[in-house]
Amino acid sequence: AVGGVQLYGGFAGLRWSDWDGRQVCRPAQYFTPGSEEEVVRVVKQAAAEGSRVKVVGAGHSFSAIALSEGAHFISLDNYRKFIRAEADGQHVRVQGGMRLFELNEELEKRGLALRNMGATAEQSLAGVTSTGTHGTGRDGSISTFIRGMRIITADGVVHEVSRNTTDPKERELFDAGRVGLGALGVVTEMTLAVVPLFKLRLQTISIGLDHLLPQLPQLLKDHERVQWYYFPFTGENATLVVRTETTEPKSPGGCWNITTPSPHIGEEGPGGGTIVGDCTDVGYKAMTGSPPHYEARSLYTEMEMFVPAEHLAEAIKDFRAYQDKVEPQHNKSWSVFTGVRYVLQDDIWMSPQYRGPSAVLSTIVQGHSEHETGDPTEFALFAKGMENVTAKYGGVPHWGKMNWAAYDDVATRYERFGDFNKLRKRVDPAGMFMNDYLTRLLEPPTVALV
């Protein structure tokens, strides 16, 4: 949310906030460049002034990753075009400000699709990849679909890097920049791997939580895309969500506008639970909610912790015990959600899945309307608890979700943490793209001398 007056090519007198309204700051100027040359000019202007720069997208990060008081903000909302589909039918070139839902529509027109994505498609591509955002299943995060990218570093130089880059220093920008946290520069374009458009059958199954848990290993073997969730203190039931690729016809109305209930409602589904939802649609409509659904839903605040997949069972057991322990402190007027998704390993330096698959635990406290987010005290009770519980298993937070992590919490859990910091300081020696949040996570705390 922004507003202000024109000044030196940007806007001044602004208040910027994220989607749930919890993260707020006042940038000195807010730029909306329409070309890469304009982005370069803003970066060079900030360097000459000794100012910091932050690139902002949809504001859907719940952490303070996009905040920087008094900085030059760059929005890529005017730099969001679909550039081309490559002749090989396996790659597309897009501008960094393009929103996921816009990309989905452009790909569908061409009979193409992304392999996977999360439940929300409002984010910008530069933002969703810089934070390592993901879906669920036998795929990596959206960042793993990047095959090439253009990134403008603090000196105003435009780097074109890809998986085929041979220069070692330039290749580092690709290896790290796919989850760059906004700390390496401005990502203006990217080449993404795509696949032929496909359909998914989306089944939602009501199942007892204690009945579900021991079946998870087999369910994950049998089904490519699995996630599940439960609401603590509301009974013993969980909800299992299974998506299966299919060549069957699309359901009447698809998954966004179901017009005829599936005849399979009430039947036994995967895991032995009861099917309560069943539809078939093109892949992205079975993975994400529709734009009207996004606009109408209640605000919420979310935290995610990634743990090595092999430790999920113990982590869930411990977190359920914690939830039982703090139940007397729970305010029953607020809805608390606990969910689990799965992400495949990758080779991206600051990805939680570097060299190992993750199970992703989520805590959400839902607001009461589209204008009110969840209670911060209630959220802290469960999110901090989840952070503490998963630390035992090497858990790390989603960079774009609310967290309280610090340098010591992440430095030892990322194999390439030191390499990332060396690269960051090489391409941005003055810390132009840093902010308080990144300093907390990437810089060792200073010790005051007495």
Side-chain angles (χ1 to χ4, degrees):
V2 295
V5 297
Q6 189 77 22
L7 180 66
Y8 302 125
F11 293 90
L14 303 173
R15 176 185 181 275
W16 185 90
S17 69
D18 69 340
W19 181 72
D20 72 345
R22 296 287 184 204
Q23 306 293 344
V24 179
C25 71
R26 293 186 180 276
Q29 294 191 66
Y30 187 91
F31 295 87
T32 56
S35 69
E36 192 173 71
E37 292 75 19
E38 290 179 41
V39 177
V40 170
R41 283 200 294 270
V42 175
V43 170
K44 287 185 174 180
Q45 176 183 329
E49 297 173 359
S51 298
R52 283 186 166 177
V53 171
K54 271 293 128 193
V55 181
V56 292
H60 206 273
S61 287
F62 300 93
S63 70
I65 194 167
L67 299 189
S68 192
E69 194 73 22
H72 286 38
F73 270 32
I74 298 175
S75 166
L76 296 178
D77 277 355
N78 288 335
Y79 201 72
R80 58 197 291 181
K81 294 178 181 178
F82 185 96
I83 300 173
R84 64 180 178 271
E86 303 294 359
D88 63 6
Q90 300 177 30
H91 300 89
V92 296
R93 185 75 169 186
V94 298
Q95 293 178 340
M98 192 173 205
R99 302 297 175 90
L100 264 173
F101 73 88
E102 295 170 331
L103 175 61
N104 289 333
E105 292 167 0
E106 291 292 337
L107 291 176
E108 184 179 8
K109 292 176 189 177
R110 295 164 172 82
L112 300 170
L114 292 179
R115 273 284 308 158
N116 209 332
M117 65 191 68
T120 300
E122 303 299 315
Q123 308 99 317
S124 70
L125 283 164
V128 80
T129 53
S130 291
T131 54
T133 298
H134 58 90
T136 190
R138 297 174 196 159
D139 291 291
S141 69
I142 298 171
S143 304
T144 64
F145 304 150
I146 297 176
R147 296 294 183 264
M149 59 198 298
R150 286 172 76 84
I151 182 168
I152 301 169
T153 47
D155 54 5
V157 173
V158 181
H159 303 260
E160 177 77 40
V161 295
S162 75
R163 65 194 310 187
N164 298 319
T165 296
T166 57
D167 179 272
K169 288 187 176 181
E170 291 293 285
R171 178 55 192 253
E172 287 182 342
L173 269 177
F174 177 75
D175 291 338
R178 286 173 290 165
V179 181
L181 315 182
L184 302 179
V186 184
V187 177
T188 57
E189 294 183 13
M190 58 183 73
T191 297
L192 299 169
V194 294
V195 297
L197 188 68
F198 60 94
K199 286 180 288 187
L200 289 174
R201 181 185 181 187
L202 167 61
Q203 292 177 288
T204 307
I205 299 108
S206 179
I207 186 170
L209 180 56
D210 288 327
H211 182 63
L212 169 65
L213 292 176
Q215 296 191 77
L216 285 173
Q218 190 60 47
L219 285 166
L220 291 167
K221 289 180 181 178
D222 293 344
H223 303 281
E224 185 174 355
R225 304 166 188 264
V226 172
Q227 69 186 91
W228 54 277
Y229 60 89
Y230 66 97
F231 294 88
F233 324 123
T234 60
E236 298 302 317
N237 250 25
T239 299
L240 170 67
V241 180
V242 175
R243 297 175 178 89
T244 307
E245 290 196 37
T246 181
T247 57
E248 293 297 315
K250 188 172 80 170
S251 304
C255 290
W256 282 4
N257 299 289
I258 297 173
T259 58
T260 304
S262 166
H264 301 291
I265 299 296
E267 293 180 358
E268 182 176 306
T274 302
I275 297 174
V276 296
D278 186 40
C279 64
T280 297
D281 209 332
V282 292
Y284 75 89
K285 291 185 178 181
M287 290 186 280
T288 71
S290 67
H293 174 262
Y294 176 84
E295 293 296 330
R297 64 182 175 176
S298 297
L299 291 180
Y300 61 87
T301 304
E302 182 176 12
M303 178 192 196
E304 285 187 341
M305 293 297 295
F306 298 79
V307 299
E310 65 268 22
H311 294 312
L312 174 65
E314 305 113 295
I316 283 292
K317 179 181 178 181
D318 290 354
F319 189 45
R320 291 181 71 192
Y322 172 83
Q323 289 173 327
D324 290 342
K325 178 182 176 181
V326 301
E327 182 176 5
Q329 302 172 56
H330 167 54
N331 182 337
K332 292 182 173 58
S333 66
W334 296 102
S335 173
V336 179
F337 166 101
T338 302
V340 175
R341 292 184 286 174
Y342 302 87
V343 191
L344 198 65
Q345 68 191 57
D346 59 49
D347 60 355
I348 306 172
W349 290 5
M350 296 302 281
S351 165
Q353 288 80 238
Y354 184 78
R355 294 190 177 176
S358 288
V360 192
L361 283 74
S362 171
T363 285
I364 292 175
V365 173
Q366 194 88 21
H368 294 145
S369 74
E370 67 270 24
H371 306 295
E372 176 190 25
T373 192
D375 177 68
T377 301
E378 188 79 0
F379 178 76
L381 175 66
F382 293 99
K384 283 187 176 180
M386 187 173 73
E387 192 172 66
N388 292 334
V389 164
T390 57
K392 174 181 176 182
Y393 303 103
V396 293
H398 188 304
W399 301 111
K401 303 295 173 73
M402 184 63 188
N403 68 82
W404 292 266
Y407 175 86
D408 289 339
D409 299 314
V410 296
T412 58
R413 299 177 194 172
Y414 283 91
E415 183 178 333
R416 304 302 294 270
F417 184 88
D419 294 327
F420 183 87
N421 265 335
K422 288 177 184 176
L423 171 63
R424 174 178 65 82
K425 291 174 182 178
R426 174 168 65 82
V427 298
D428 183 19
M432 174 191 290
F433 296 110
M434 293 291 284
N435 62 4
D436 291 346
Y437 174 76
L438 292 177
T439 298
R440 187 186 89 200
L441 292 168
L442 302 179
E443 293 283 357
T446 57
V447 178
L449 298 177
V450 179

